[in-house]
Amino acid sequence: DVPQATKYLKKALKALKIGCSRQGVSPELCPEVASCHHQLGLVYALGKEYDSAEYEIETACRMRLAMYGSAHPMTARTLDAAGRIQSLRGEFDQALHYHEQALTVLQGTPYATSTLENIAMAHMGRGDVLAAVHIYVEIVQCLKTAWHGEMVKPFYERNQVAAQQLADYLQKLADAYMKVRHDAYAHQCMEEADLVLSESGIKSQEENND
């Protein structure tokens, strides 16, 4: 419920700022206030209130930049969110600028996958499907490396969340291949996705539909 979430976050933001003032701390230097602005921006984006979303994310970014510097994951995650809002507005070049800035910091962290996907989606928005394919290939290769580590474990100990994530991205890569009419690669990805789900004990969507 976007209106309820917005109301709650505004109330929380007001309370945090009052608390900072009572403690003699500038709200501009309060991590919780920055996080509240970040979350409020995401909620506004869900409600398609993009001007408000952009304002809140820019506020959070400015605060995190002052508190943590440009090379901190918290700052980078807010830059990534700024890029997502630009994509929702149809400003894909600006979105790529933000996402690529974020990736320089987030590469090698658990947040890198979602940032890479945001880059792929921005390329899709620009109509550059081949660029998106390359990004999805990169994501899949990283996830495959992690999954190969799971394969040495007994069947019942394998991480089903990792398996599902890899299968989902294989399907996204298949969809991208289909858009550029690389049907053979697309079918290969779909077969790999089914195999991963089978190896982890998760039924494929096709099996669930039977």
Side-chain angles (χ1 to χ4, degrees), residues 2 12 20 52 55 73 79 101 104 110 115 119 127 168 179 185 204 209:
V2 171
C20 286
S52 296
Y55 171 79
L79 280 171
Q101 273 189 287
T104 60
T115 302
I119 291 172
D168 288 346
K179 289 180 186 293
Y185 287 130
S204 69
N209 290 337

Side-chain angles (χ1 to χ4, degrees), residues 143-181:
L143 294 177
K144 277 185 178 180
T145 300
W147 179 242
H148 289 157
E150 291 295 319
M151 287 296 291
V152 301
K153 298 178 181 178
F155 183 84
Y156 57 86
E157 289 183 6
R158 291 174 189 168
N159 187 333
Q160 290 192 337
V161 174
Q164 187 66 64
Q165 186 183 34
L166 174 54
D168 288 346
Y169 276 107
L170 280 164
Q171 184 59 57
K172 289 173 183 180
L173 178 56
D175 293 341
Y177 274 133
M178 292 289 279
K179 289 180 186 293
V180 291
R181 299 184 179 180

Side-chain angles (χ1 to χ4, degrees), residues 83-161:
R84 193 74 194 98
I85 291 166
Q86 292 305 315
S87 275
L88 290 169
R89 301 190 83 151
E91 300 291 340
F92 300 112
D93 288 337
Q94 186 64 30
L96 283 169
H97 172 72
Y98 283 126
H99 292 317
E100 286 165 358
Q101 273 189 287
L103 188 62
T104 60
V105 177
L106 298 175
Q107 193 71 272
T109 74
Y111 305 112
T113 299
S114 61
T115 302
L116 282 166
E117 183 174 15
N118 287 337
I119 291 172
M121 291 169 67
H123 281 305
M124 284 283 199
R126 295 174 72 237
D128 192 349
V129 182
L130 278 175
V133 165
H134 291 314
I135 297 296
Y136 279 123
V137 167
E138 183 179 348
I139 295 172
V140 165
Q141 289 303 323
C142 290
L143 294 177
K144 277 185 178 180
T145 300
W147 179 242
H148 289 157
E150 291 295 319
M151 287 296 291
V152 301
K153 298 178 181 178
F155 183 84
Y156 57 86
E157 289 183 6
R158 291 174 189 168
N159 187 333
Q160 290 192 337
V161 174

Side-chain angles (χ1 to χ4, degrees), residues 32-52:
E32 291 79 10
V33 171
S35 293
C36 205
H37 279 295
H38 181 103
Q39 292 300 322
L40 191 52
L42 297 179
V43 170
Y44 275 130
L46 284 174
K48 299 182 179 180
E49 297 182 51
Y50 300 133
D51 287 343
S52 296

Side-chain angles (χ1 to χ4, degrees), residues 14-89:
K14 183 177 180 181
L16 283 167
K17 288 182 176 179
I18 290 171
C20 286
S21 297
R22 286 175 178 169
Q23 295 174 31
V25 177
S26 169
E28 288 287 313
L29 297 175
C30 176
E32 291 79 10
V33 171
S35 293
C36 205
H37 279 295
H38 181 103
Q39 292 300 322
L40 191 52
L42 297 179
V43 170
Y44 275 130
L46 284 174
K48 299 182 179 180
E49 297 182 51
Y50 300 133
D51 287 343
S52 296
E54 191 170 348
Y55 171 79
E56 296 296 340
I57 290 296
E58 285 180 352
T59 300
C61 193
R62 184 191 71 243
M63 292 176 66
R64 286 178 166 176
L65 189 61
M67 286 186 286
Y68 307 126
S70 61
H72 194 282
M74 296 297 281
T75 307
R77 289 181 66 194
T78 306
L79 280 171
D80 195 40
R84 193 74 194 98
I85 291 166
Q86 292 305 315
S87 275
L88 290 169
R89 301 190 83 151

